[in-house]
Amino acid sequence: MGSVTSELPAGRTPLADAAETGLKIVIVGGFGVGKTTLVRSVSEIRPLNTEEVMTQAGVGVDETSGVAGKTTTTVAFDFGRISLNERMVLYLFGAPGQERFWFLWDRLFSGTLGAVVLVDTRRMDDSWYAIDRLEHHGTPFVVAVNRFDDDSAGHSLDEIRQALALPPHVPLIECDARVRRSGKDVLITLVDHLYDLAMARETTP
Amino acid sequence: MTPRRPVDTGDPDRLYTVTGGRSRADDAFDLVTLVVRESEPSAGMQSEHVRILEMCRHPTAVVEIAAELRLPITVVRILLGDLLAMGRITARHPRAAESVASLPDSALLKEVLHGLRNL
Ligand SMILES: Nc1nc2c(ncn2[C@@H]2O[C@H](COP(=O)(O)OP(=O)(O)OP(=O)(O)O)[C@@H](O)[C@H]2O)c(=O)[nH]1
Ligand SMILES: [Mg+2]
């Protein structure tokens, strides 16, 4: 590995030469909820940052109707990566959940396996819009509650499910985004859920 | 298919330099399309093309190229379209990205689960 790495620009770790299938999972949530922390804790590379610049005219955001001319918005997002085996590599994208960024969703994240909605119980309002959009879009998701140390209210998962009006079939779990094992469990919960959905589809005539 | 959209980087000079004034990106390149070079850079090539070919000695995702070059995704798609047309790269596109509605099958997900559990 050492000789290969030294030929590359500092810090870059190459994929296996047999890598052929890129997969996507999106971590979505409000400001400061722990998206980057979660990506970092499970990623094999330091999270990288990139941006897309969108011209909002013609993107189909009906809320902006009536506005003449174009507005340009730059949306930055970070990502990490997990090599699942020699052929498959999973990319994790941390995406802002605020309403004004969602015109990007179709464009950047089509073809995602599914999503994790990261929730901070001190600011649960930030999660409603993301959950609503994912349901509307038909993207399967799980909800992970990132417990911060000063979360004094200590809501139970049942209370949180009620507050978010989450249907019973959507998995809801707790996590600590700083801990690798915990981040990994969140991803496994999501993919387990996706697997169940796929099996149900495939066995329904 | 999503319609092709014009690029607007908010920095017209840089965009013009990098893309030769073109503003249509090749939408075939997904964020996680893996790009592999077919030949080494040659003399006289545009510097961004050279850098992409250097990176893509091993398979490299579009989004990693964009992060490394510090260019917006759309601009990178344009540059990759050039290299593809020149026969300099091949693209390994994701299976699941053809449409939003094509959900992954259980066999694929089983492999993903297996990979995650072995982390
Ligand atoms: N106590 C505690 N702190 C956390 C946890 N997760 C994240 N943090 C801290 O919360 C802060 C914000 O975390 P980020 O990962 O940057 O959040 P983000 O969602 O990426 O934030 P933006 O990209 O700015 O929206 C950082 O200082 C983290 O160290 C957690 O589980 N517990
Ligand atoms: Mg962040």
Side-chain angles (χ1 to χ4, degrees), chain A residues 17 19 52-53 87 91 202, chain B residues 8 58 64 74 92 106 111:
Chain A
D17 285 322
E52 182 59 301
V53 186
R87 292 170 298 102
Y91 284 86
E202 288 164 22
Chain B
D8 189 347
H58 302 283
E64 287 195 64
T74 316
R92 302 174 184 174
S106 60
E111 275 196 86

Side-chain angles (χ1 to χ4, degrees), chain A residues 32 34-37 49 78 94:
Chain A
K35 301 180 293 291
T36 304
T37 305
N49 200 271
D78 43 27

Side-chain angles (χ1 to χ4, degrees), chain B residues 90-110:
Chain B
T90 46
R92 302 174 184 174
H93 295 297
R95 284 183 237 171
E98 281 98 45
S99 80
V100 180
S102 67
L103 294 163
D105 61 41
S106 60
L108 175 84
L109 292 165
K110 202 168 197 167

Side-chain angles (χ1 to χ4, degrees), chain B residues 28-76:
Chain B
F29 288 99
D30 189 86
L31 287 181
V32 299
T33 293
L34 302 176
V35 177
V36 192
R37 78 177 184 201
E38 289 300 312
S39 61
E40 296 193 21
S42 47
M45 287 184 83
Q46 184 182 339
S47 66
E48 286 80 13
H49 286 158
V50 172
R51 290 191 62 196
I52 291 174
L53 292 182
E54 281 168 354
M55 285 188 76
C56 296
R57 191 179 123 96
H58 302 283
T60 308
V62 170
V63 71
E64 287 195 64
I65 297 171
E68 179 80 16
L69 265 53
R70 298 181 187 283
L71 286 170
I73 304 287
T74 316
V75 173
V76 169

Side-chain angles (χ1 to χ4, degrees), chain A residues 105-151:
Chain A
W105 179 263
D106 280 338
R107 160 101 173 157
L108 289 182
F109 301 123
S110 69
T112 55
L113 296 179
V116 174
V117 178
L118 205 53
V119 172
D120 177 349
T121 50
R122 298 165 303 177
R123 286 170 299 174
M124 271 200 279
D125 287 4
D126 289 358
S127 321
W128 286 333
Y129 187 75
I131 290 171
D132 186 64
R133 280 309 302 226
L134 287 166
E135 282 177 340
H136 182 80
H137 193 265
T139 302
F141 64 96
V142 299
V143 178
V145 179
N146 196 19
R147 291 280 191 199
F148 284 81
D149 305 328
D150 53 344
D151 174 16

